[in-house]
Amino acid sequence: MTMAVKFMTKNFGRYDIRSLASYMEIGGLTALKKAIQMPGADIAALLTAAGIKGRGGAAYPMGKKWLQARAVKAAEKVIICNADEGEPCTFKDRTLIQNDPFNLLEGMIIAGYVIEAQHGYIYLREEYSYLKSILLNAIKQLTEKNFLGKNILGKKGFDYELHLCSGAGAYVCGEGTALIESIEGKSGRPRMKPPYIKQCGLYNHPTCVQNVESLSLVAAIVNDENNIYQTYGTKGEKNSIGTKLISVAGNVKQPGVFEIPFGITIRDIIYGLAGGLEGQPISLIQFGGASGKVASKDILDTPYSYEHLIKAGVGVGSGAILVVDESTSVIDFLITTQAFFSHESCGQCAPCREGNRHIRLLLQKIKDGVHTQADIEKLNSIADIMTVSSLCGLGQASQNALKTAMKVFPDAFKIMERGVKIG
Amino acid sequence: MRFEGVIFMSENILERVLTRELARQIDGILSNYQYDASCLIGILLDIQQIIPKHYIPEEIAYYLAQKLNVKITNIYDCITFYSSIYSKARAEYPLQICNSIVCKVKKGERLAMNLKKILKVEIDQATADGKFIIEMVPCFGACDVAPAVKVNGKIYGNLNNEEKIKAMLQKLV
Ligand SMILES: Cc1cc2nc3c(=O)[nH]c(=O)nc-3n(C[C@H](O)[C@H](O)[C@H](O)COP(=O)(O)O)c2cc1C
Ligand code: SF4
Ligand code: FES
């Protein structure tokens, strides 16, 4: 059984993150030097061969996204690194920036080359303001040595600059169009689509948004001449190639970030890597952050992969795994989750703004043991309406935990005789 | 129609909050951003950091509107939308406790209770000396060290007993 591996995390702890020279001593920037000798489309093809799906949650094939972005003709194009990482229980992007900032930026420069963009933006959540100086310092050193700027590495016409922008505590700004509004200096309310940002994004320029982990994979893939990456993952289906960074937290003994090959089981992760439960037995496990779905301990022997998790009724999402033991009831868990979405809804569209509030109120009724069959039906119908009619992913996904919990833990929703409390 | 007395009062406040020294510092922040209004969020966050009680006073919002040549409504659209930007005075050390799910299952409520007891204040109420205020905020990505507190950008994790909380407070002042 292979547990944690080192592919995208291989540089962790091996160089001084404040020094470009130190990064170069361990082979940093060799991928960029190699990349600019290659046609951009070939680099996108490498990502496609490695089967990389976007790691921000939506799992869109990365090579395909880069090819589409390349194909758009415009005087100026933009790449955005989404470092908003707002999903509760998700902290893998933080770890990547803390331990290997130059690798992320190298990935962004290669993206600039392939997509033929002139500007790259890193949108860093305000909660990670302590990582700002790491990134600014890295950008400064790369600019001084002409790995950023004009005619990068002597390549005529390869002009590319990086900028750092801060969020300000709004989860919805992780959504692409809201993120763009925020960088433009406005409140982060999602835009109507179309137009899609790949045609008309930041300051109306075609824009490609990519998660920190996705971009952190690029340099290693370009350097991976022997296709080591593709030896990891689920074989057969070939749906989940390679490795994934996961963040495990909750009632486990050793919460943390782990790089795993796709295909190890949830049990390996929780009991092997995260040290097992603190004391009480597992009540539920949530996958992919607050907008993710939940499962019971029956999922322990399921392999962690895109296809297996979907089949088991959950999904990879942001890569978060939250383990909750029996000291927190299912309903209390849901109330906290729903309160998060009520707080984070931008309020722009009614299904999400009102739906999240009403779900929260109905859940309180359930907790108090005073709900009726009509309340359960209302919960279902509000959740369904939100899924189909919310403007952005926040409203569409904020009831994922509720809907799955209703299926997996029907007892938690049982109608009680008046006065008998549950939860 | 405006009343003389009211104008006089607000001018008075303006003088009190926006001192010449503070205006100089704010101008410095603005020039770091080349007076680019699209950097408004970064600008607001930076200013908030240098204001002793970490918020954006109304006078400063107006000052920014003028300096950046944007409407005051744009400024307030951002101040009210983003939960990390505050329109009311807070404290020198805002103690932000996460109320999202990982901290919840790690009994973050106890942390809030302990802090309330030690400081003898309620949530969102500043201590009399203006040093501390307890605020509940969503996940700030310190879930691996839950329950955690964030103070002026710094994280203090694993605060699962009173000693650790007191040690954290001591470190601050
Ligand atoms: C409400 C909402 C919040 C999101 N938050 C994030 C986030 O914090 N980080 C992220 O990378 N993607 C987030 N996403 C997904 C992004 O919209 C986008 O799909 C992603 O950044 C694309 O990069 P990828 O293809 O590399 O995953 C969010 C989406 C929604 C709807
Ligand atoms: S779904 Fe929610 S967050 Fe998204 S636009 Fe509508 S109200 Fe705003
Ligand atoms: S849930 Fe509390 S810091 Fe993430």
Side-chain angles (χ1 to χ4, degrees), chain A residues 172 190 344-349 352-353 390-396:
Chain A
V172 69
E344 296 303 327
S345 166
C346 84
Q348 188 171 220
C349 59
C352 165
R353 181 185 65 234
S390 293
L391 178 61
C392 87
L394 190 151
Q396 289 156 12

Side-chain angles (χ1 to χ4, degrees), chain A residues 129-158:
Chain A
S129 57
Y130 55 90
L131 303 179
K132 239 162 106 175
S133 66
I134 297 175
L135 288 169
L136 285 174
N137 170 64
I139 292 171
K140 183 163 161 267
Q141 291 190 21
L142 287 165
T143 310
E144 277 163 8
K145 292 277 186 281
N146 192 224
F147 294 110
L148 286 169
K150 295 224 175 302
N151 304 319
I152 293 168
L153 282 164
K155 186 120 185 150
K156 237 183 150 36
F158 180 21

Side-chain angles (χ1 to χ4, degrees), chain A residues 94 125 169 183 186-187 278, chain B residues 38 77 82-83 106 139 141 144:
Chain A
R94 182 197 86 197
R125 67 184 310 212
I183 297 184
K186 295 175 264 180
S187 56
E278 286 175 316
Chain B
S38 69
D77 185 33
Y82 292 101
S83 51
K106 297 289 281 183
C139 174
D144 48 344

